[in-house]
Amino acid sequence: MTRTAKVHAAAWKEMFDDFLKEYAERSSDHFEPFSIEHDYTRYVDGKPRYDGVRDFLASRNIEIPPGEPDDPPDKETVCGLGNRKNRRFQQMLSERGAECYESTVIFIRKLRKAGIATGVISASKNCREVLEAAGVANLFDVRVDGIDAERLAIPGKPEPDIFREAVRRLGVSPGRTVVVEDALAGVEAGRRGDFGLVIGIDRADQAARLARFADIVVADLKELSMEEAIEKIITDDLPSALEDIEDIGKCIQDRQVVVFLDYDGTLTPIVERPELARLSEEMRQALRELAGKCTLAIISGRDLADVQDLVAIDGILYAGSHGFDISGPEGRMEYQQGRAFLPSLDRAEESLRKRLETISGCQVERKHFAIAVHFRRVNEAKVPEIETAVDDVLTDHEDLRKTGGKKIFELRPDIDWDKGRAVAWILMQLGLDGKKVLPFYIGDDLTDEDAFRELREKGIGILVRDENRLTMARYAVENTEEVRLFLHSLAQLLTKGSS
């Protein structure tokens, strides 16, 4: 919101460099100055002041007493150093004043004009003074800052609690909330809190790191139009694809239809263990009926061979591992994305199995291009321990990224590839990316949102609805039985059209 990050970083560097010089002289160690580029973004940015001191000193294997919040700035404790930094920050703020990112101010004003409530959070106890100095305090309905965090004992980011407190005060649910952050700890907090959308702003050349947890990463909010910011709607508000089948039929007219389908939760109900999800003969018949009328593709998070065996229909396209492994009918189209990441996935799998083997009900499933950690059968109290293990392993494998889904954490190659990209690639390879083509995508999970987004302007996304959240889909069905009925109805529409 405000251009205070450079002021904070400068205050941190001045404080830490003074301390590190004194510490090096006492201990006869080599003096290594505090790096704004490396240390600030990794250890202190976005965190409560004392957490930042503690985490940075730990990175240098330096231990000092924790102290008390009222320690004077010249006292060599965690709190004393934090207070020393704060004193220098306030001096710099007084000297330089506070400036805003104008594009952010414009963006927030548009949100408010559209009737969207806004809240501001900050780990800083100076939040109110900074906003008032910048003249933007009136842009927010609620404020939760470092003073509130201390009073309410709210843990700092990357824990999501400070965001959740703001959401509580706004009177909305996390699933209907967008988190906008530029700090690594902040975007991770947004992901941990299961918010509807997490937008990362790359102000420190760390787009790849932000993308591990953010749904969208931009250099500036001016890259997002107002329409993009609010184009997702709540799943409960989606019209029924079955009830609107006649309108969908009008969209088809003389266009060639391509249908993409997720597997788990779409063609089969979600079950306790992934190996128990078997396709019913009725659903298989509906797929065969539709495959005779249009191009049909199954895109699943499962391995390619697994989903091919489960569906067992010749002449259609299959994409496994969320589109990382694609195979066309009779081998006419083959594609694999991510082979270079296999050794890293192997090592991450081994680490996860060791960390999670004692947690009852937790299942580590290795796919060719991903590692899924299932916790549907795990005691809820154990889930944070599982996520911590996944995050720790992720820290050791910077070429991987964490994604989520229904009762699952997943590690995948950290490259710009997902179900949406796979859909676009398949359409292009088949020469079906023109205006005379109408692609459908039917899915139920968060991983399917990438495909819904890809087809937003040129196709029809249909969500299998089971929870109220934000989505890019245009229609919904209630369960897998309604998926089967829709596929049958679509096949009948295509039969009428061809006759």
Side-chain angles (χ1 to χ4, degrees), residues 52-188:
V53 174
R54 189 179 300 108
D55 290 351
F56 170 70
L57 293 182
S59 76
R60 298 290 182 91
N61 296 314
I62 297 174
E63 290 187 18
I64 61 175
E68 299 294 335
D70 59 355
D71 281 354
D74 58 351
K75 191 167 185 179
E76 196 171 282
T77 62
V78 169
C79 292
L81 293 184
N83 295 340
R84 190 185 307 180
K85 177 266 171 183
N86 188 53
R87 181 179 64 182
R88 186 64 189 119
F89 171 77
Q90 290 178 333
Q91 292 172 345
M92 290 180 173
L93 185 65
S94 176
E95 295 165 1
R96 306 180 187 184
E99 296 181 20
C100 287
Y101 289 97
E102 189 59 31
S103 57
T104 302
V105 174
I106 292 171
F107 189 79
I108 294 172
R109 291 190 189 281
K110 287 182 177 180
L111 291 176
R112 293 181 66 80
K113 188 176 180 180
I116 296 175
T118 55
V120 61
I121 67 94
S122 175
S124 173
K125 294 181 179 180
N126 302 303
C127 179
R128 179 178 62 81
E129 290 82 358
V130 171
L131 293 176
E132 289 177 351
V136 293
N138 63 338
L139 289 183
F140 301 98
D141 299 294
V142 302
R143 182 187 75 247
V144 183
D145 58 20
I147 296 174
D148 297 303
E150 182 176 81
R151 177 174 57 85
L152 299 173
I154 298 174
K157 296 177 280 187
E159 297 303 321
D161 301 61
I162 193 167
F163 289 110
R164 286 175 173 163
E165 175 61 19
V167 166
R168 184 191 67 77
R169 295 184 187 186
L170 285 170
V172 296
S173 66
R176 299 189 67 170
T177 305
V178 178
V179 169
V180 183
E181 261 282 3
D182 68 337
L184 286 171
V187 293
E188 183 175 353

Side-chain angles (χ1 to χ4, degrees), residues 267-302:
L267 298 180
T268 66
I270 295 293
V271 293
E272 290 293 310
R273 299 178 65 91
E275 63 268 23
L276 301 178
R278 297 290 173 178
L279 196 67
S280 70
E281 284 306 314
E282 293 81 6
M283 183 66 82
R284 184 173 284 106
Q285 180 55 38
L287 291 172
R288 286 198 179 104
E289 180 184 16
L290 187 59
K293 310 295 181 184
C294 67
T295 301
L296 186 63
I298 312 296
I299 300 187
S300 172
R302 292 173 176 265

Side-chain angles (χ1 to χ4, degrees), residues 304 323-328 333-338 369 417 425:
L304 177 62
F324 277 84
D325 201 357
I326 302 172
S327 177
M333 184 172 66
E334 305 291 339
Y335 184 75
Q336 284 192 338
Q337 173 76 278
F369 292 104
W417 194 261
W425 185 86

Side-chain angles (χ1 to χ4, degrees), residues 234-251:
I234 303 301
T235 56
D236 282 358
D237 296 336
L238 290 174
S240 167
L242 281 174
E243 293 177 5
D244 287 5
I245 191 67
E246 291 186 6
D247 290 337
I248 292 174
K250 293 175 184 177
C251 295

